[in-house]
Amino acid sequence: MTPMPHTPPEPSHPSPASAAPGAPVVPGAPAAPVLLADEPGSFPHSVLAERHPAIVRQVREAFPYGPEQHHALDALLENCTKGVIEPLPADAPGRASWAAWGMDEYAGLSWFDIPWLWSESWFYRRLLDAVGYFGPGPWQGVDPFRPFKLAELDAPETDEELAALDDLADRPVDEQAAALLHGSLWGNRADLGFRLSDEGAEVRAAVPGLVADDSAALWSLLDGADTLCLVADNAGRELVPDLLLIAHLLTHGRARRAVLHVKPYPYYVSDATTADVVDALRRLTRARGAAAAYGHELWSAMADGRLTVRAHAFSCAPLPYEAMPDDLRGELADGTLTVLKGDLNYRRLVGDRNWPPTTPFAGVTAHFPGPVAALRTLKSDVITGLTPATEAALVAAEGQAWRTGGTHALIQVRQR
């Protein structure tokens, strides 16, 4: 299913360019520096210098693009590694939004010398331009990451994970809930963008350790919740367990309704769009046993409004959630709980800054409109809310590798 091309709308209230590097204000805490990619050997630098070129090559080989797309991809590869930020043409879809989000402020600067969050988002916007996603033309609306997403969704590992649901069906309800929560949490290891530049990540044994676990607080908020807002991260083998968790919560009355927030257009290789939700639901409904029952329950929940899909333009903005527009802020404020999935959402939630790991999570999320929970495997440097003992133990065992290896995870909750 290929979605109709999405023209990014104008922001409901423009965020000033000066807000682009923004981060929450933490009372009594020193300002933490915004993460840049200007330091060779750093994780952000490796993303821009190594991961992005790998993604360009993967996309180039995934479709029989014509000379126009190949030339544009070559130009993007040259620009993102050696060039500077070049503003969108005057007639480009969503240009006004990007101008409000900082494009004019960063024009002429190296990709490595501006906030990493911004340059990463800009890369994916320019990649869509290069392959003709916004059109007009024959490649309009064609997701350049779709082959990777479908391969992930149809992998034998997915069959094994779905088959395991049959054994889970005989367990107590609370045990089922805990298993599905952890499935949603650790499912983020399937992140495609992460694997493209680290092909051995899947075969290495992951350390099943939570660096923070507020799951008891999360379940207390989901005790008869009116509305759960779940902000998805990746498609494929991460989105499926997200949907399974939602199905369980709806079926057992832990939440009356759920709103699933996805991206309005392809983003960060594997980020979920509405088309990916449909693919995942179809994958479930054509499975066997308990997986099929979950799929049909979700299909029915969409039909009767207990499950809705939302694709807000701000989901693809290069800004922290502190800068979210008023309409989205109002929606999330009305929810009983917002659950943010994955690494990118965590960076946007706490501000993409080099916080000391013991910076209180409640402080850096005080801006968020209502109770919020983060489910995340650790794949970038940003981290808050650790105890001094936990940080010390991680550093002693692994140096700084624990921050980015995807072998640790967290469940963090701010209740008020």
Side-chain angles (χ1 to χ4, degrees):
M1 175 179 175
T2 300
M4 292 299 291
H6 180 90
T7 299
E10 309 308 328
S12 57
H13 75 266
S15 300
S18 60
V25 175
V26 183
V34 174
L35 283 176
L36 308 178
D38 59 344
E39 182 181 344
S42 69
F43 185 72
H45 188 278
S46 72
V47 169
L48 268 62
E50 300 169 21
R51 182 185 297 183
H52 286 177
I55 290 170
V56 170
R57 290 191 291 270
Q58 292 275 347
V59 167
R60 185 183 183 122
E61 296 169 1
F63 284 96
Y65 289 125
E68 181 180 353
Q69 287 75 37
H70 281 283
H71 291 323
L73 288 170
D74 288 341
L76 174 61
L77 183 59
E78 177 75 12
N79 181 247
C80 73
T81 55
K82 301 177 183 177
V84 297
I85 301 299
E86 300 173 358
L88 296 172
D91 60 348
R95 190 191 192 284
S97 296
W98 279 95
W101 293 338
M103 179 179 67
D104 295 334
E105 177 183 351
Y106 298 135
L109 299 179
S110 166
W111 293 57
F112 294 84
D113 293 335
I114 63 176
W116 178 42
L117 176 63
W118 204 98
S119 57
E120 273 199 292
S121 296
W122 182 247
F123 169 78
Y124 290 102
R125 176 63 175 81
R126 297 318 306 258
L127 181 62
L128 292 182
D129 286 333
V131 298
Y133 179 85
F134 293 115
W139 295 102
Q140 187 178 53
V142 177
D143 183 347
F145 311 127
R146 184 166 172 77
F148 314 134
K149 295 174 178 178
L150 291 180
E152 173 106 352
L153 196 59
D154 294 332
E157 292 85 356
T158 305
D159 291 325
E160 296 171 6
E161 291 162 3
L162 294 181
L165 293 171
D166 293 334
D167 295 332
L168 188 62
D170 296 328
R171 305 291 180 86
V173 172
D174 286 349
E175 190 173 327
Q176 293 179 37
L180 292 171
L181 175 65
H182 281 260
S184 178
L185 170 66
W186 287 106
N188 187 257
R189 271 190 240 152
D191 183 324
L192 296 168
F194 185 71
R195 287 211 341 263
L196 285 179
S197 59
D198 190 5
E199 295 179 357
E202 286 264 28
V203 299
R204 290 195 300 270
V207 178
L210 295 180
V211 299
D213 185 5
D214 294 339
S215 53
L218 187 149
W219 289 122
S220 71
L221 290 167
L222 284 174
D223 188 10
D226 182 73
T227 301
L228 165 68
C229 298
L230 192 149
V231 183
D233 189 28
N234 297 314
R237 283 171 57 206
E238 180 188 357
L239 184 59
V240 166
D242 290 345
L243 289 168
L244 294 174
L245 177 61
I246 288 173
H248 180 88
L249 296 173
L250 293 175
T251 299
H252 294 280
R254 301 296 293 260
R256 184 183 67 83
R257 62 186 293 266
V259 180
L260 180 65
H261 288 253
V262 297
K263 302 299 189 295
Y265 49 82
Y267 194 58
Y268 276 70
V269 182
S270 51
D271 281 28
T273 65
T274 302
D276 299 320
V277 174
V278 175
D279 285 339
L281 289 177
R282 286 176 172 161
R283 180 71 175 84
L284 286 170
T285 56
R286 70 172 185 260
R288 298 178 179 178
Y294 277 109
H296 290 297
E297 168 63 20
L298 289 162
W299 201 281
S300 297
M302 291 194 71
D304 63 27
R306 288 177 295 132
L307 172 60
T308 57
V309 177
R310 182 82 165 95
H312 195 283
F314 190 76
S315 295
C316 292
L319 304 177
Y321 281 114
E322 186 183 28
M324 76 175 76
D326 289 339
D327 63 328
L328 180 59
R329 182 173 294 275
E331 287 184 36
L332 299 179
D334 289 339
T336 307
L337 173 67
T338 299
V339 175
L340 298 174
K341 281 296 310 293
D343 206 71
L344 175 61
N345 279 322
Y346 189 87
R347 290 166 56 194
R348 296 184 72 193
L349 174 64
V350 304
D352 203 33
R353 292 182 175 242
N354 190 22
W355 297 113
T358 55
T359 303
F361 178 74
V364 294
T365 60
H367 63 88
F368 201 84
V372 62
L375 301 184
R376 173 213 182 192
T377 52
L378 276 56
K379 299 180 191 171
S380 68
D381 292 305
V382 178
I383 184 73
T384 67
L386 299 191
T387 66
T390 297
E391 181 191 5
L394 289 166
V395 171
E398 304 178 33
Q400 294 301 320
W402 62 272
R403 291 174 177 261
T404 59
T407 58
H408 293 280
L410 60 79
I411 301 172
Q412 291 178 323
V413 175
R414 197 213 72 218
Q415 299 193 62
R416 292 287 190 274

